[in-house]
Amino acid sequence: MGERPADLILVNGRIHTLEPRNRVVSSLAVRDGKIVAVGTDKDTAAFRSDRTRVIDVDQRLVIPGLNDSHMHLINGGLQYNLEVRWDDVESVSDALRLLREQVQRTPPGQWVRVLGGWSEFQFVEKRMPTIEELNAVSADVPVMVLHFYDTALLNKAAVQALGYTKDTPQPAGGEIVRDALGTPTGVILAKPSMFSVYSAMRRAPQLDHGGRLNSLRQFMSELNRLGITSVGDGGADNNLEDYALMTELARNEQFTVRVACSMFTFAAGKEYEDFASWIKQVKLTDDPIYKIWGAGEILTFSAFDSANFLLPRPELQPTAEKDFERVIRLFVENRWPFQFHATYDESISRLLPVLEKIQRDAPLDKVRWFLNHAETISSKNIDRVAALGGGISAHDRIAFQGESFLRRYGPKVADRAPPVGEMLRAGVHVGLGTDATRIASYNPWKALQWFVTGRTPGGVQMVGAANRLDRLEALRQYTVGSAWFSGDEALKGSLAPGMFADLAVLSADYFAVPEDEIKKIESVLTVMNGKVVHGKGPFRALAPPPLPVDPAWSPVAAAQQEEGRYLGAMRSSTHLCGHAHSNGEACGGQAHVHNWIQSDAGLWSLSCNCMVV
C-alpha cells in the first residue's frame, strides 16, 4: 500500500462535498483529522487497513459540518445547564408544564429560568405566558422568563429574591413595571437598553467552576447533535475570566466544536482602554480548535443599536463616529480583525464613512472585518461593504421577532430583511448563523429553513423571493461561506482532500424534505477533527459515552433521562461472533461484546465491537 492507512472511512453515502462543483460522492477517507480522499467506495479502498474504522452510512445524506458564523457560545454555554429551553415547544400550556416539572427538581436557593431561543408566535396561543401563570407555577421557587432582550418576566419569588420593592429606583434604560399601588408586577422592560433586562439574568444564582465547565461541554454536545462543528463566538460577558475557562477546556482537549472567539467590553466609555489592554495581553493564534480571533461585536456603546423591534429604532449617540474611529484605528494598527453589531441601515450609514476614511490612510485589507445582522441594510451600503472588502454575518434572529418587525416597518421593508440575496449578488462575503442563544434558537436547521422560506416560526411570510436562497446556496453559506469569517476558508467548509474532517450525517434528506420539515433535521453522526463526537440510532455505539451533567438537578439531566426512557437501554452479551463485515471479511468466530441498541423508532439493532458498522 503506497498510502498510509486512513483512520476513518465513510462508505455507501450521498456525500455533498460543497466544492465549487459540489461533487456528490459515496465515500471519503480521513487521516490525522483531515480528509485524504473523496470519491467512490473503490477510490477509498486503498486507504483501508485492519485498523481503519469503516462506517457504512446506508445512503444517508452527508454534508460538511455546519458553521454558525455568529452565536454566543460562551454566554449560552455558561447558562446552558441552568436553562429550561422552549425552542421546540408549541404551546404555552406545554411551556408552563416544563417549568412546573423543573420546579420539582430545583433545590432551595436556585432558580428556574428560560433565557431565550423562543417566540410567542411559535405557540398556538400566539402570546407570552402571563405573570399570573408564572406565579401559579411556583410560590417559593424563583422563576424568570427572558423574552429576547426586551422583556423579563418574574414570578413573585423572583421579584422578592431580587429585592424589588416600591422604593427600588428604575434601572438605567429600563423600567420595572408597577401596579396602581406602586408594587412591582414582575415585568421588566428594556427602554431601550437590553442591559436593564440582562442584569436580572446575571443576578440569578450561577454555576460553580466545575458546573460552568460542564455546561460549556454539554452545550457543545448539543450543537454536535444538530451537526454543528464550528462557531464564531460574538463575545463573552466577562471576557478574560470566561476565556480562561475556554482555555482550560482546550488544554484538556475537551472541545467538540471549533470556536473562534472575539472580545468586547461591557465598560461604556472605557472601550478603547479595554481593547488597548487586551491587545497587549492576548495573543491571536491560528489554533484550529480554539482561538481568540479579534474584537467585537460591541466595539463602542455609542455606536451600538439595539434590536428591540417593539420600540422605535434607536439613534446612535452623537459621539458614535469619533469613538468608533478611535478603536478601529487601534485594531488596524495592531492587525486585529474586528466585527461590529449594526442592525439598521441608518446606523450603518453613519459607520461606513468612518471605515472609508480609515481606508484612505490605513488600508483595511490589513485586517479581516465584517458587520453583524444588517437586517435593513440598503443596496447602496451593501455595495460600500463590498468595495471595502468586508463581510456580513446574517442571521435568522429577526424571524423570531418577525411579526413585531412587520407591524412596525411594514411589508416593503420586511421583504428584504435581511437582503441576503442582494449581498451575494454584490460579491460581499456572507456567512449565515443565528445570533443565539438569547435572541434566537441555536438550531441551525431553523435558520436554514428561514433563509430558504423567509417565513417566521409563526408561519408569516416576510422575505421576498429575491432575497431567499435555494437549499444548496443556503447550505453553502452556512459552511463554505462562514469559514471566511474566522479566516479558515482554506481549511474548512467543504469535504475535499486537505480540509478538516468535519461532517454530519443527516437524519433526513435536506434537499428533499418539505420546507416546513427542514427545522426538524438533526445529525445522526457528527465527526469533528476526524473523531466521532455524536452518534444516534444505528451510530449510537460509535459515540463517546454521555458526559454526566453537573448539577444533577439540571434541566439538561432531566432531558437526557427522558431521552433514555424513549430510546431504551443498551444491553450487552459476549459470545462467539460470526458476523460478515461490509468489506466481505468474516469476523473469524472470536469472542466479542455485542450491544443491542434500541433506535428512535423502537427497533433493536445489533452492534458489535468488531463490526464494520
Side-chain angles (χ1 to χ4, degrees):
M1 183 184 296
E3 290 281 356
R4 188 157 57 89
D7 304 314
L8 172 70
I9 294 178
L10 264 58
V11 298
N12 191 26
R14 290 179 294 125
I15 303 171
H16 283 253
T17 62
L18 292 197
E19 298 169 293
R21 292 189 296 116
N22 186 33
R23 286 192 297 156
V24 180
V25 300
S26 66
S27 183
L28 61 80
V30 174
R31 183 177 61 223
D32 298 332
K34 290 189 175 182
I35 296 171
V36 293
V38 294
T40 66
D41 294 0
K42 183 177 179 180
D43 291 332
T44 61
F47 292 87
R48 289 194 187 188
S49 77
D50 56 2
R51 292 186 299 275
T52 301
R53 169 179 275 179
V54 180
I55 302 177
D56 185 338
V57 298
D58 193 24
Q59 282 295 295
R60 290 177 175 84
L61 191 71
V62 183
I63 63 169
L66 295 174
N67 182 355
D68 191 311
S69 66
H70 180 82
M71 73 155 55
H72 295 272
L73 180 144
I74 299 177
N75 285 349
L78 290 174
Q79 297 289 330
Y80 182 68
N81 280 5
L82 295 170
E83 291 188 67
V84 175
R85 297 294 302 188
W86 284 351
D87 300 292
D88 299 316
V89 179
E90 297 180 351
S91 70
V92 172
S93 59
D94 281 342
L96 294 171
R97 174 183 56 80
L98 291 176
L99 293 182
R100 285 192 295 270
E101 291 173 354
Q102 184 57 34
V103 163
Q104 299 304 312
R105 293 186 287 263
T106 302
Q110 293 293 337
W111 290 35
V112 174
R113 64 201 88 187
V114 178
L115 301 180
W118 64 280
S119 164
E120 67 268 38
F121 301 108
Q122 77 192 44
F123 298 146
V124 294
E125 298 90 344
K126 305 298 181 186
R127 66 170 179 85
M128 292 193 287
T130 66
I131 294 296
E132 290 74 21
E133 287 170 328
L134 295 187
N135 285 330
V137 164
S138 176
D140 51 3
V141 176
V143 177
M144 174 174 62
V145 174
L146 194 67
H147 180 262
F148 309 128
Y149 279 124
D150 57 57
T151 309
L153 304 176
L154 309 170
N155 71 347
K156 287 182 179 179
V159 171
Q160 293 169 358
L162 291 173
Y164 290 158
T165 69
K166 294 179 180 180
D167 300 322
T168 302
Q170 295 291 8
E175 177 187 351
I176 299 172
V177 178
R178 306 173 193 272
D179 63 20
L181 299 177
T183 303
T185 63
V187 177
I188 304 175
L189 300 176
K191 286 194 169 182
S193 172
M194 69 179 190
F195 299 102
S196 60
V197 172
Y198 192 70
S199 63
M201 181 187 76
R202 298 181 71 183
R203 290 177 61 190
Q206 302 299 313
L207 295 167
D208 61 17
H209 181 79
R212 286 156 67 85
L213 292 172
N214 184 272
S215 188
L216 285 163
R217 294 182 67 189
Q218 295 289 350
F219 186 47
M220 290 187 200
S221 294
E222 171 68 356
L223 297 180
N224 295 151
R225 180 184 69 83
L226 296 166
I228 293 177
T229 57
S230 290
V231 162
D233 189 283
D237 294 352
N238 297 313
N239 282 300
L240 296 182
E241 178 185 338
D242 292 342
Y243 296 139
L245 293 171
M246 299 290 282
T247 300
E248 184 174 346
L249 291 178
R251 186 170 59 245
N252 294 327
E253 299 183 351
Q254 293 174 328
F255 273 69
T256 59
V257 173
R258 302 182 192 274
V259 184
C261 294
S262 59
M263 304 182 72
F264 76 87
T265 174
F266 267 78
K270 298 182 179 179
E271 299 95 334
Y272 182 90
E273 289 75 11
D274 272 353
F275 285 124
S277 174
W278 293 336
I279 286 172
K280 293 177 182 178
Q281 297 179 63
V282 177
K283 179 177 175 58
L284 304 184
T285 73
D286 289 323
D287 189 290
I289 304 294
Y290 168 63
K291 61 184 176 182
I292 303 294
W293 171 89
E297 70 177 296
I298 299 178
L299 300 183
T300 70
F301 278 86
S302 60
F304 173 81
D305 61 359
S306 61
N308 181 354
F309 300 128
L310 297 178
L311 297 176
R313 176 184 60 82
E315 293 286 350
L316 301 188
Q317 297 176 25
T319 61
E321 289 88 346
K322 177 182 177 182
D323 298 339
F324 190 68
E325 179 178 351
R326 191 179 183 214
V327 296
I328 297 300
R329 289 192 180 277
L330 176 69
F331 301 143
V332 174
E333 179 183 347
N334 289 277
R335 303 293 195 273
W336 261 52
F338 63 90
Q339 59 180 294
F340 61 95
H341 168 111
T343 301
Y344 301 96
D345 188 60
E346 291 82 355
S347 303
I348 296 168
S349 292
R350 288 183 59 181
L351 299 177
L352 285 182
V354 175
L355 298 180
E356 291 165 339
K357 175 183 177 182
I358 294 172
Q359 168 78 353
R360 291 192 286 270
D361 54 24
L364 286 174
D365 59 11
K366 295 180 180 179
V367 297
R368 186 157 299 195
W369 68 274
F370 59 93
L371 58 90
N372 295 309
H373 317 313
E375 278 90 356
T376 69
I377 189 171
S378 64
S379 300
K380 176 183 177 181
N381 281 339
I382 290 173
D383 290 339
R384 294 168 80 181
V385 172
L388 290 168
I392 300 175
S393 178
H395 319 124
D396 70 327
R397 66 174 194 163
I398 195 172
F400 293 83
Q401 304 176 74
E403 286 82 352
S404 298
F405 184 92
L406 192 59
R407 281 197 297 266
R408 180 165 294 279
Y409 296 105
K412 185 175 181 181
V413 177
D415 184 71
R416 54 184 307 280
V420 177
E422 290 184 40
M423 296 172 191
L424 291 171
R425 290 188 288 274
V428 173
H429 296 286
V430 174
L432 301 184
T434 58
D435 196 22
T437 59
R438 302 290 162 257
I439 206 162
S441 172
Y442 51 76
N443 187 335
W445 300 102
K446 291 186 177 184
L448 284 164
Q449 181 170 309
W450 161 253
F451 287 111
V452 168
T453 69
R455 289 192 295 272
T456 71
V460 173
Q461 185 67 53
M462 278 185 59
V463 180
N467 282 296
R468 300 197 298 266
L469 306 179
D470 65 42
R471 299 192 197 201
L472 179 60
E473 189 62 49
L475 181 62
R476 189 181 297 279
Q477 299 312 316
Y478 226 111
T479 51
V480 178
S482 292
W484 180 89
F485 289 74
S486 58
D488 295 315
E489 63 270 28
L491 292 170
K492 65 185 181 185
S494 63
L495 299 175
M499 305 294 277
F500 289 143
D502 300 347
L503 59 90
V505 182
L506 303 185
S507 61
D509 188 340
Y510 163 71
F511 294 105
V513 298
E515 287 182 342
D516 288 342
E517 297 292 314
I518 294 174
K519 65 183 178 183
K520 298 180 180 180
I521 295 174
E522 58 184 12
S523 174
V524 293
L525 180 72
T526 306
V527 173
M528 195 280 285
N529 206 38
K531 298 178 181 178
V532 175
V533 293
H534 166 76
K536 186 174 183 179
F539 306 107
R540 182 175 295 273
L542 303 178
L547 178 69
V549 182
D550 180 10
W553 53 265
S554 164
V556 176
Q560 289 184 0
Q561 291 169 4
E562 186 73 11
E563 180 185 15
R565 226 177 357 254
Y566 285 106
L567 297 184
M570 180 181 289
R571 299 183 295 179
S572 299
S573 63
T574 302
H575 59 270
L576 291 179
C577 178
H579 286 134
H581 293 183
S582 61
N583 63 4
E585 299 175 1
C587 182
Q590 302 175 34
H592 293 293
V593 175
H594 291 72
N595 299 313
W596 289 92
I597 305 171
Q598 191 177 26
S599 73
D600 299 358
L603 302 176
W604 289 92
S605 60
L606 181 66
S607 172
C608 171
N609 70 343
C610 72
M611 283 181 69
V612 178
V613 180

